[in-house]
Structure formats: C-alpha cells, structure tokens
Amino acid sequence: MRILVTGGLGFIGSHVVRRLLQEPDVEVTNLDALTYAGNLANLADVAEDRRYRWHHASITDEEAVDRLLAQTHFDAVIHLAAESHVDRSIEGGVPFVKTNVAGTQILLEAARRYQVDRFLHVSTDEVYGSLGTDGLFSEESPLRPNSPYSASKAGSDLLALAAFRTYGQDVVVTRCSNNYGPFQFPEKLIPLFITNGLEGKPWPLYGDGKNVRDWLYVEDHAEALWLALVRGKAGEVYNIGGKNERSNRDVADTLLNIMGLGADTVVLVPDRLGHDQRYAIDPSKAERELGFRPKHHWDDALARTVDWYRQNTHWWQAIKSGEYLEFYHRHYRSLGARPDEP
Ligand code: NAD
Ligand code: TYD
C-alpha cells in the first residue's frame, strides 16, 4: 500500500510514519514543508529506509501537490500537516487559515482528481470548544471552536466531510485529545516544562492552572490512526482519547515529582486569551468500531517521556534557539512573565 503522509516531520506525523513502516507492505511518501515545527531529526532513523521518502513542498502549493499526485498513485492520504499551536494562532491566524483550511482543500481536490482510495483527515477535540465540569465530547457534539487554531481545524473538518457528502469521496475524520511523548516541539505544555526544568528555568502556568486536558501518549494516537485507516467507515468521525483527564496544575505537580524539582519552579502567569476550560473525549465509538485501546499508562509514559528529553538534549537545545527563542520571549513577556529568570 502506498501512503502519502502530510506533516510527517512534525511531532505526531513522525510517529505515524514510524508506525506505518512497521507494516511490511507499506511505502510512505512524506509531504512536509519543513516549517519551524518540522525537523529532519524526527525521522533520521528511517531516512535511509527504501520504503520511505520525504517530498519537500507546502500543501498550499497547488501545482506542487498536483505534480506529486500525478507522478505517483497513492492508495491513501493521512493528512496531519497543520499550523498547530494555539498561542501562535492568537498572535496571528492567517498562516492557520492558509495551511489548515486552504491546504486541506487543495489536498482533498488533488486526492479526488487522482483517485486516492481513502483520505484520513487528522483533527483535534479542540474543534468542539470547551466543556464545563461535566460531560464528554462525542462525535455528535456541536463544533464550537474558540481559537483561530481550532476554528481553522473545524473549517478543515467541514471541508473533508463536505467532500464525502458532495462527491462521495472516501474521507474519514479523527479527532484526538492532547498528545505527549518524544519529539514534541517544546512550545507545548509538557515538553516546555520538561526542557525548562532541565535548563533551570521557571514553568509558566496560565491562569489558575485548573484548565483540564485529556492526555494520550502519541504512539497510542498513531495506532488509532492506523486502525481508522484500515477499519474506519467512509464519512465517519472518530473521537480518540485515553480517558486521562488532568488539570494543568496536576500535570505540573506530577512532572515536579518525576524530575525532583521544588514547587517554586511553577510560576503563575496571566491567562491565555479565550483559554478553553476543559477538554474530555468519549472514545467509545473508536473502541467499538475500530478496536482502539490505549496501551500506555500516564505515570509510566510520562516518566519515559521525561527520560527521552533528558537523553536527547541535543534535539531540543537546537530547537530552543533562533526563531523559537524569539517567540518564547515575546510570548511570555506579553503575559507579564520573565521567562529567563528561574
Ligand atoms: P506539529 O506542529 O508538531 O507538526 C506539523 C508538521 O506539519 C511539521 O512537520 C510542519 O513542517 C508541517 N507543515 C506545517 N505547515 C505545512 C504546510 N503548509 N505544508 C506542508 N507541511 C506543513 O504538529 P503535531 O502536534 O504533530 O500535530 C499534527 C496534526 O495532529 C495536526 O493536524 C494537529 O491539528 C493534529 N492534532 C494534534 C494534537 C496534539 O496534541 N499535538 C492533538 C490532536 C490533533
Ligand atoms: P498546549 O500544550 O499549548 O495545548 P492546547 O492548548 O492545544 O491544549 O497547552 C496545554 C494546556 O497547558 C493548556 O490548558 C494551556 C496550558 N499551558 C500553560 O499553562 N502554560 C504554557 O506555557 C503552555 C504552553 C500551555
């Protein structure tokens, strides 16, 4: 099976590529623009694999996408490429609309033109908006995105589902909760706190730290995507999550404990604008119809994630410089924090 993965040089995409290559009859082409969030080091271990190749182009480049799909027939597309960070989308949403909305439509149209059998669109629980203290997101929950990031992802989901309804294109949509694990870009909560901890820097906790996320280990997400690809029904949405709700304060406390750091590491900073209070996924449809079961447990997988960042300092130190450092200082200063002072 020939699979086109988009965004394979990013965090989740790199785990998906590695998971796909475990299937003996799968060949992977990775379409990735290598933005600030992409990193060749994320797939250095498979770079020489003859069943893997990287194609350097943007999903927003209609001609490049058309040429690629005209040259090679793909059996499936797994679409992960996106601008993915909420805080960056609050600074400016245009790149989010271009990549997440226009890029998705360009890919959908090319996949239709060249008769790709299946299009797996990888989305997020953030499209459902925010929950109060009770309830879970089901596939029937209304889409009520609150950030430019989640609004652009919701737009891309609707385009994917419209392609199914209008043209009968074989499209499957997945919506997953927050991921954690190796190779996650250190602008996101867990790798930011781990790497700041290793550098002796403070942990900026937004607001009162009571916001809740439903955390899933990235390899469990990659497995769910494989299952959705081979077992999912066209036109269907599948929510993916690990029934693992934690407040941000709880995540910080667990990490302090694993890393042997003091409570004064955590510094409360003013809240993110429009900060969603709680995300929580009901994954029963994916369990029932795809046979999805997360294999990794939070305490264990989080401790192994900390170990990975400890052992791969060269990976994140190379990232935490240049463009990233500029974003980091600008962003946390704008919240009134002093990001350099431990
Ligand atoms: P990431 O930011 O780590 O990686 C994104 C990748 O896409 C990078 O390799 C980047 O170079 C590439 N890319 C960006 N714009 C591109 C473009 N125009 N053309 C081609 N490539 C481009 O993102 P991630 O955290 O791995 O998320 C991957 C997908 O999963 C996204 O669609 C995201 O919405 C979704 N998702 C993420 C999470 C999470 O917790 N991280 C949870 C649920 C869903
Ligand atoms: P993040 O990793 O950005 O993922 P998302 O916003 O997509 O859920 O943030 C996870 C949670 O952690 C979210 O509630 C915001 C919070 N957060 C902080 O408290 N401090 C930080 O420096 C960051 C980046 C996030």
Side-chain angles (χ1 to χ4, degrees):
M1 177 163 31
R2 274 211 193 105
I3 303 180
L4 178 65
V5 172
T6 71
L9 293 175
F11 164 48
I12 300 171
S14 62
H15 288 275
V16 168
V17 169
R18 234 176 265 111
R19 171 63 188 86
L20 293 175
L21 291 172
Q22 286 171 15
E23 300 295 321
D25 60 343
V26 164
E27 286 176 27
V28 178
T29 297
N30 171 17
L31 172 59
D32 196 299
L34 195 58
T35 68
Y36 82 91
N39 191 338
L40 287 168
N42 293 5
L43 283 176
D45 55 332
V46 304
E48 301 302 319
D49 191 317
R50 290 163 69 176
R51 292 185 295 125
Y52 167 77
R53 75 181 169 121
W54 168 45
H55 188 87
H56 189 184
S58 171
I59 59 167
T60 60
D61 182 341
E62 281 187 75
E63 280 174 25
V65 170
D66 185 272
R67 263 198 311 278
L68 175 63
L69 275 87
Q71 276 162 10
T72 308
H73 177 263
F74 294 103
D75 301 296
V77 171
I78 305 182
H79 175 37
L80 296 111
E83 289 292 338
S84 70
H85 191 36
V86 173
D87 290 325
R88 286 185 193 255
S89 81
I90 292 169
E91 274 196 356
V94 173
F96 289 74
V97 175
K98 285 185 177 162
T99 287
N100 302 358
V101 182
T104 298
Q105 181 65 12
I106 287 167
L107 281 170
L108 284 163
E109 289 185 10
R112 214 159 52 236
R113 205 155 47 243
Y114 295 103
Q115 286 151 21
V116 174
D117 297 332
R118 167 148 285 190
F119 192 105
L120 177 60
H121 176 68
V122 180
S123 191
T124 165
D125 60 357
E126 302 194 25
V127 298
Y128 296 120
S130 183
L131 290 166
T133 44
D134 298 325
L136 300 171
F137 294 133
S138 82
E139 289 78 0
E140 275 71 50
S141 298
L143 301 188
R144 288 190 182 131
N146 292 315
S147 72
Y149 162 67
S150 54
S152 67
K153 289 296 291 187
S156 67
D157 289 22
L158 295 177
L159 289 169
L161 292 168
F164 169 74
R165 295 203 186 99
T166 305
Y167 309 100
Q169 188 169 357
D170 185 325
V171 168
V172 173
V173 175
T174 57
R175 297 186 179 134
C176 189
S177 61
N178 285 60
N179 284 212
Y180 67 101
F183 298 109
Q184 186 167 28
F185 197 90
E187 65 191 355
K188 306 280 167 56
L189 178 76
I190 288 179
L192 178 74
F193 280 15
I194 296 173
T195 58
N196 273 14
L198 294 172
E199 290 180 300
K201 287 187 182 167
W203 293 359
L205 190 61
Y206 295 162
D208 58 9
K210 289 186 181 155
N211 303 67
V212 171
R213 298 292 182 263
D214 186 351
W215 293 96
L216 183 71
Y217 190 63
V218 61
E219 288 180 11
D220 286 325
H221 187 191
E223 185 61 28
L225 293 177
W226 170 253
L227 294 173
L229 183 75
V230 297
R231 296 187 189 160
K233 240 181 89 197
E236 293 293 317
V237 176
Y238 297 93
N239 283 354
I240 299 167
K243 297 180 186 155
N244 181 39
E245 287 182 54
R246 312 273 163 185
S247 72
N248 295 335
R249 169 57 79 175
D250 209 38
V251 172
D253 287 344
T254 310
L255 284 172
L256 289 175
N257 193 27
I258 294 172
M259 298 184 74
L261 294 169
D264 58 349
T265 305
V266 178
V267 178
L268 289 180
V269 300
D271 213 350
R272 169 188 279 175
L273 294 178
H275 195 173
D276 285 338
Q277 188 55 41
R278 176 171 165 259
Y279 304 144
I281 280 273
D282 173 1
S284 52
K285 181 177 175 186
E287 289 173 355
R288 207 172 47 246
E289 296 187 18
L290 307 177
F292 168 66
R293 291 277 178 290
K295 290 195 185 74
H296 297 85
H297 298 285
W298 169 246
D299 290 317
D300 212 43
L302 191 62
R304 276 194 291 117
T305 301
V306 171
D307 271 347
W308 186 87
Y309 284 90
R310 264 200 196 110
Q311 282 158 25
N312 290 277
T313 45
H314 56 282
W315 181 87
W316 56 264
Q317 278 171 350
I319 293 170
K320 285 185 114 176
S321 62
E323 190 276 343
Y324 171 75
L325 215 54
E326 266 171 52
F327 163 77
Y328 179 73
H329 285 129
R330 187 174 66 240
H331 174 60
Y332 290 99
R333 286 226 175 89
S334 78
L335 295 175
R338 287 176 298 185
D340 280 332
E341 292 176 18

